[in-house]
Amino acid sequence: MPVTRQEHSVNLPLLEREPELAAAAKAVDALCGEQREPREPRQTTSGGILVYRGAAGLGKTALLSEVRRLAAGRCTVWSARGGETVTSVPFHVVRQLLHPALTASELTNEPTNELTREPTSEPADEPMDARELLGDRYEIVGPALGVAPPGEQPADPQGVRDGLDTLVVRLAEMRGPLVLIVDDAQWADLETLAWLASFAQRPVGGLPVLVVIAYRTEEATGETEQHLRSLGSAAKLLVTLRALTSEATAGLARAALGEHADDPFCREVWAVTGGNAYETVELLAKVRDSRLDPVEGSAGELRALGASSRGKGLIARLEELGTSTTRFAWAAAILGTDISLDLAISLAGMGREEAAECAERLRAARILVGTDPLEFVHPLIAGAVYRAIPPGVRTAMHGLAAWAVSRSGRGAAAAAPHLLEVHPDGDSELVEQLREAAAEHLAVGAPDAARRCLERALLEPPLETVRPQLLYELGCATLLTSPATTVGHLRAALDARRLDNALRVDVVFRLAQALTHNNQTGDAAHAVATEAARTEEGPARMRLQAAHFLWEGVQVIEDDGPERSRRLAEMAGGLTGRDNTERVLLMLRAFDGTARGESAEEIVQIGERALLNGRLAPGVGWTDPAWGFEPPSLLGLSYVFADRLDQAESLFTEGLRAFEISGWSGGHLAFAHALVGYLHRRRGRLVEAETYLRESLRLADRVGNGLPMHWNAACMLLDTLLARGHVAEALEMAERYEFITPRASSIAIPDAPSVRGRLLLALGRTKEGIAELEAGGQALTARGRHGTVMAPWACDLARAVAEEDPRRAAELASYARDRAERFGTHTAIGVALSCAASLEKGPAKVELLAQAVGHLEASPCAYELAAARVEYGIAAESRAELARGLELAERCGADGLAAQARQALAAGRLPS
């Protein structure tokens, strides 16, 4: 909830900060723009990132306060601050930052500056309806912001970050320029920092949003440091603050104590504080309080006074205030920031009247400020008090704090930071609290926070009956962020003694998914096969067998593909799709038949049995966790290659929309864009295809590097770029994603060796291209895979070897034509006829091309028709056919093919 900040006791000076202030003023001016006349629109605004970093006490907060002052009355300013004891609370800082826009303000009519605790001239925020503001992202982003209840399914972290981006952009459009200020970012939660770092990668200079960050360099480590470095790299201003010089310290001393402060005394002030602005102000305040004469003769007393402001001196000063006051200060330090008075009272174990007296003594000693909530005057003081608590007492107080927070109704997630600090003691109730907190974290899109809770619960340790379920939950929490870690947890769950059979099937299925995401598709197939062999006949075994067919069928290398296909055909032969396991088996059977080059008509019939009233059945949809998105993807691709592009489009657009609605903006959405892009490629809409496929790779790049989703999207994009005639771009993309060197354990669509071979041929690397196509063809035929549309290696190889080995070329062309006729689609037959024509001359060539054009005119694949028509026009010396081919090539975006047609038309030898 929003809090009213009190006036801060320490106002740090802005000495020797002129360049930083000038840069801040320039940034605010660029953000707010100039307005010459009242009715004239503002000039174009420009946001960006400002980052101030340095050691504690150098005046970062004062700089942020000045930024706020510069922006006051000109734009909307919202602020937040990290806290040392709440770094593990997901989205803690972003909730502070955006809360004023999402809830009715509880501030007074005279709002206060979040950083200086001083009144500002800004108007109070008008309350907004969060559901209306967030729109269709309410259920995705609302839980992370604390304005909507968590959903039942885990939220995709990237989807939450994208939703926050959209929210900030919309707020900037509605309210005008925004300034978002985050102080003590070294203690911000990782979820907030991950969002800020990703937001910084957007073209924020074109948005009216200025993000201002300050952090302590010595406190930023691990992932926090990585995110802050990313923000610094994107910043228009990155400043590392330095300590005050002796001259500036002397000026500060004379301003505080009088001009009679002599040089030796001022030099000792600088020596004692090291030019630290905060320590200098505190020391000078103590000099003033003690009525010490600021002359050389008093300089010797400065070190003792300075020591009382930090470390042991501060703690000694605290202890002088009494045992009860010290205990109350400890309670405040345990709670961290925005300290609830009720919680502090409960934790300190005292009455309200006694607590009020303690709080007043701490305010007078410049240790705390505020009433309810309370805050420490400076994070340096909070840290010193927290570290002064004896370790055993500190642990016990965290346990009490967890109980108090839970009892207050704030929920398990709010208590989690304290639960994480409690020593393991076999407490089954604590295990359940941590599991509950992890579920809440997952629901708001914070899997790393969930992982920390579950890992801590594992150390408790849990009861033997609970441990397998806990390991499974831990594996689910780390699947998207660390598949390798997931594999370890799930294998441990399988080894647990008290794992029941129903959960065991779920564990194995999730293990197979993790292995595939970790590029271990063969291990995934082996895992489900082993489990299926030990499982009794029934639904569980059938589900495992279906999973085995899935992962074995999509791996690159397979020991006995024909036998697997035979078993799959036998199992699926009598299935009608009465339940979801049967439906998945039918989807896998349709795809396997497509890869084998069986009758496309029969494949479509199998696919129809896998649907319920023409749609995906509940439980096997794109976002259903039981089976994953792979089965509907394979069914849709079967429709693509069977020339049923309308059915495929219906499936793929449904998947894209389902992921968007669910907020799955990571790998799932990347794959959905790839599928829609490849559908456009098959239709001959090459420009649209390239757009979707590049977006797929952009989305995949945000998730990680070298993932299966990269492999598929890159393969589809290369195929599209080659169809467009953009060979140089295709090579650049292949090198960027290391596509030339095969390293994926799962197949790509279309067939990766076929695409690599085509690229090598286009580059003039003929021998390498032939070798790639031959090796790919041998591997496919050994597995019984003869689908010439999915894997067009034979046609490309026939053309490549035609000159040196015409007999081999003829055999390949005959093989391609035979397999195409068995498959039976107009596209497959038309492409095979074009290949056969490329080996002929004269009337035979023209006749074959005429047949190819006839088939492709009945096909939904416009690019293949354009290529055949251009080739037919050249062979038949028909200007009319060439012109039709050129027009179609231009509509497809096939620039290389269009150039070939223009060149042939320009030759001038063709009859009209």
Side-chain angles (χ1 to χ4, degrees):
M1 60 185 294
V3 296
T4 302
R5 306 286 187 179
Q6 304 299 317
E7 185 173 350
H8 205 302
S9 298
V10 178
N11 293 309
L12 299 187
L14 285 169
L15 299 177
E16 299 182 328
R17 299 290 184 252
E18 291 78 11
E20 292 86 348
L21 292 173
K26 182 178 180 180
V28 172
D29 287 343
L31 175 73
C32 297
E34 297 297 333
Q35 193 171 9
R36 299 178 182 176
E37 298 294 337
R39 294 184 179 180
E40 285 188 5
R42 292 183 183 273
Q43 295 178 354
T44 302
T45 58
S46 175
I49 314 286
L50 303 183
V51 177
Y52 299 106
R53 63 185 183 183
L58 294 184
K60 297 181 293 296
T61 297
L63 275 169
L64 297 187
S65 179
E66 181 63 13
V67 172
R68 183 174 184 122
R69 188 194 67 77
L70 290 167
R74 303 170 66 189
C75 54
T76 300
V77 185
W78 290 320
S79 306
R81 165 174 272 155
E84 188 172 10
T85 59
V86 289
T87 56
S88 60
V89 180
F91 300 106
H92 173 72
V93 169
V94 82
R95 288 185 183 188
Q96 290 182 60
L97 199 60
L98 301 180
H99 203 278
L102 298 168
T103 58
S105 176
E106 294 181 16
L107 301 178
T108 63
N109 290 330
E110 188 177 349
T112 56
N113 185 316
E114 188 111 354
L115 296 172
T116 64
R117 285 64 169 178
E118 298 171 350
T120 73
S121 59
E122 298 176 52
D125 292 322
E126 292 293 330
M128 293 184 181
D129 180 75
R131 183 179 290 277
E132 181 181 354
L133 185 60
L134 293 169
D136 59 4
R137 294 181 180 267
Y138 177 76
E139 294 180 352
I140 300 167
V141 185
L145 291 169
V147 296
E152 295 181 1
Q153 296 296 330
D156 175 32
Q158 188 60 58
V160 175
R161 290 193 287 270
D162 287 347
L164 290 171
D165 286 359
T166 302
L167 172 61
V168 170
V169 171
R170 186 174 182 191
L171 288 171
E173 291 172 348
M174 295 172 62
R175 291 176 167 269
L178 292 180
V179 177
L180 305 179
I181 298 175
V182 179
D183 198 6
D184 284 327
Q186 77 280 354
W187 292 327
D189 58 276
L190 287 173
E191 288 74 21
T192 293
L193 289 177
W195 167 61
L196 288 170
S198 68
F199 186 75
Q201 303 308 311
R202 294 170 58 97
V204 291
L207 295 174
V209 180
L210 180 63
V211 180
V212 190
I213 307 289
Y215 72 93
R216 296 188 200 173
T217 48
E218 72 273 19
E219 299 279 353
T221 59
E223 289 185 66
T224 295
E225 182 183 21
Q226 294 174 20
H227 289 315
L228 291 172
R229 284 186 179 276
S230 178
L231 283 163
S233 299
K236 62 166 61 176
L237 174 67
L238 172 62
V239 176
T240 301
L241 300 182
R242 307 298 178 190
L244 298 176
T245 63
S246 59
E247 292 79 11
T249 303
L252 191 57
R254 292 187 175 105
L257 306 175
E259 290 297 326
H260 64 289
D262 63 20
D263 288 343
F265 183 90
C266 293
R267 282 196 298 272
E268 186 62 15
V269 170
W270 181 73
V272 169
T273 64
N276 184 286
Y278 165 74
E279 293 187 11
T280 301
V281 169
E282 279 291 289
L283 177 57
L284 294 174
K286 288 179 173 55
V287 169
R288 190 169 54 244
D289 292 346
S290 63
R291 301 182 183 279
L292 190 67
D293 195 14
V295 295
E296 183 175 7
S298 305
E301 300 181 45
L302 289 174
R303 291 196 178 275
L305 281 177
S308 68
S309 300
R310 60 183 183 274
K312 294 180 179 180
L314 171 65
I315 300 308
R317 183 159 59 93
L318 174 62
E319 291 173 350
E320 290 174 0
L321 299 177
T323 303
S324 60
T325 303
T326 300
R327 188 167 76 251
F328 188 84
W330 286 359
I334 290 290
L335 294 172
T337 60
D338 294 344
I339 303 157
S340 162
L341 183 59
D342 286 340
L343 288 178
I345 291 171
S346 175
L347 187 53
M350 59 180 62
R352 182 169 292 274
E353 184 175 342
E354 183 182 7
E357 293 174 357
C358 292
E360 182 56 38
R361 284 192 287 271
L362 291 168
R363 280 191 290 268
R366 290 197 299 274
I367 292 175
L368 287 182
V369 293
T371 53
D372 190 10
L374 296 158
E375 282 222 16
F376 283 92
V377 166
H378 195 278
L380 282 172
I381 296 176
V385 174
Y386 182 79
R387 284 182 281 275
I389 306 172
V393 176
R394 185 165 61 228
T395 299
M397 291 186 75
H398 273 298
L400 291 172
W403 175 83
V405 170
S406 298
R407 188 183 178 201
S408 70
R410 289 171 170 83
H418 303 294
L419 295 171
L420 292 172
E421 298 298 326
V422 177
H423 287 313
D425 193 31
D427 186 341
S428 59
E429 184 178 349
L430 185 144
V431 170
E432 292 310 306
Q433 286 179 300
L434 287 167
R435 290 177 65 192
E436 184 181 346
E440 291 183 33
H441 291 333
L442 285 173
V444 302
D448 284 333
R451 172 186 54 78
R452 290 192 294 271
C453 289
L454 294 170
E455 287 175 344
R456 171 61 188 82
L458 201 59
L459 295 175
E460 190 58 15
L463 298 172
E464 282 299 312
T465 53
V466 175
R467 188 170 184 272
Q469 180 69 40
L470 178 58
L471 287 165
Y472 175 65
E473 291 168 2
L474 189 51
C476 294
T478 57
L479 177 61
L480 293 178
T481 56
S482 179
T485 302
T486 300
V487 169
H489 292 315
L490 294 177
R491 282 185 166 152
L494 287 176
D495 292 338
R497 290 179 296 174
R498 305 294 291 273
L499 179 64
D500 66 71
N501 290 332
L503 178 59
R504 188 177 185 89
V505 174
D506 290 335
V507 171
V508 172
F509 194 86
R510 188 58 61 97
L511 174 61
Q513 286 183 312
L515 288 165
T516 302
H517 290 182
N518 202 44
N519 203 23
Q520 296 174 265
T521 312
D523 292 340
H526 177 73
V528 289
T530 301
E531 192 62 27
R534 65 176 297 279
T535 304
E536 296 181 358
E537 290 287 345
R541 184 178 186 185
M542 195 170 182
R543 184 185 177 201
L544 289 167
Q545 288 173 322
H548 179 230
F549 284 127
L550 169 62
W551 303 122
E552 196 172 34
V554 299
Q555 63 181 327
V556 170
I557 300 173
E558 186 178 12
D559 293 334
D560 193 349
E563 173 58 20
R564 178 193 55 78
S565 294
R566 185 195 65 76
R567 288 187 285 108
L568 176 56
E570 181 179 336
M571 178 173 283
L575 300 182
T576 59
R578 62 182 178 178
D579 60 31
N580 284 342
T581 300
E582 287 195 4
R583 294 182 184 110
V584 169
L585 282 166
L586 289 168
M587 292 178 191
L588 302 180
R589 173 68 182 96
F591 182 77
D592 188 68
T594 301
R596 290 175 58 79
E598 298 176 10
S599 166
E601 183 177 348
E602 293 179 8
I603 288 167
V604 170
Q605 292 174 359
I606 293 170
E608 289 173 350
R609 299 208 305 273
L611 300 174
L612 182 64
N613 298 322
R615 298 180 61 84
L616 293 173
V620 290
W622 292 95
T623 59
D624 289 313
W627 287 101
F629 63 87
E630 289 88 356
S633 300
L634 297 179
L635 176 61
L637 288 168
S638 300
Y639 283 138
V640 166
F641 295 120
D643 279 1
R644 301 299 180 94
L645 299 189
D646 289 343
Q647 288 97 319
E649 184 171 14
S650 177
L651 272 176
F652 292 162
T653 53
E654 177 187 343
L656 183 61
R657 181 62 179 156
F659 292 142
E660 289 176 339
I661 291 174
S662 300
W664 292 11
S665 295
H668 298 87
L669 190 63
F671 192 63
H673 273 82
L675 292 174
V676 174
Y678 192 60
L679 177 74
H680 283 297
R681 157 66 182 93
R682 297 305 305 169
R683 285 196 185 279
R685 301 169 183 167
L686 303 182
V687 177
E688 292 89 339
E690 183 178 344
T691 299
Y692 272 97
L693 292 167
R694 288 190 183 277
E695 175 64 6
S696 173
L697 286 170
R698 186 190 71 81
L699 293 169
D701 287 344
R702 300 190 306 178
V703 179
N705 297 314
L707 302 173
M709 66 191 81
H710 285 99
W711 192 255
N712 266 293
C715 189
M716 293 172 178
L717 180 56
L718 287 172
D719 179 60
T720 302
L721 291 171
L722 290 173
R724 297 202 67 193
H726 297 179
V727 179
E729 290 182 43
L731 176 61
E732 186 275 330
M733 191 60 59
E735 291 176 341
R736 177 179 174 184
Y737 291 100
E738 301 179 24
F739 189 82
I740 291 293
T741 304
R743 56 188 177 81
S745 64
S746 55
I747 64 171
I749 302 295
D751 175 59
S754 297
V755 175
R756 278 198 300 269
R758 183 174 291 178
L759 172 62
L760 291 167
L761 293 176
L763 292 169
R765 296 159 59 177
T766 306
K767 290 185 178 181
E768 293 175 72
I770 289 174
E772 183 72 39
L773 293 169
E774 286 180 337
Q778 289 171 4
L780 288 168
T781 53
R783 294 180 69 176
R785 298 197 165 185
H786 304 284
T788 58
V789 184
M790 186 189 300
W793 63 274
C795 288
D796 287 329
L797 183 57
R799 288 187 172 93
V801 302
E803 187 173 341
E804 293 187 359
D805 193 347
R807 181 177 177 180
R808 170 70 171 142
E811 291 173 351
L812 288 165
S814 176
Y815 163 81
R817 185 170 178 179
D818 174 64
R819 300 312 310 192
E821 289 172 349
R822 294 190 191 191
F823 192 55
T825 65
H826 287 292
T827 302
I829 295 171
V831 170
L833 287 169
S834 293
C835 173
S838 69
L839 308 180
E840 300 290 345
K841 296 180 180 179
K845 182 183 188 75
V846 173
E847 176 59 26
L848 286 170
L849 286 170
Q851 294 178 33
V853 168
H855 278 284
L856 290 169
E857 283 179 329
S859 155
C861 300
Y863 167 72
E864 282 71 18
L865 172 60
R869 195 174 288 284
V870 168
E871 195 173 358
Y872 177 48
I874 294 173
E877 297 183 347
S878 169
R879 180 174 295 275
E881 288 295 334
L882 256 178
R884 293 172 68 187
L886 171 59
E887 180 185 1
L888 185 54
E890 289 175 336
R891 288 208 307 267
C892 289
D895 299 331
L897 181 63
Q900 179 187 357
R902 290 191 201 95
Q903 185 178 9
L905 286 169
R909 297 192 301 270
L910 299 175
S912 60

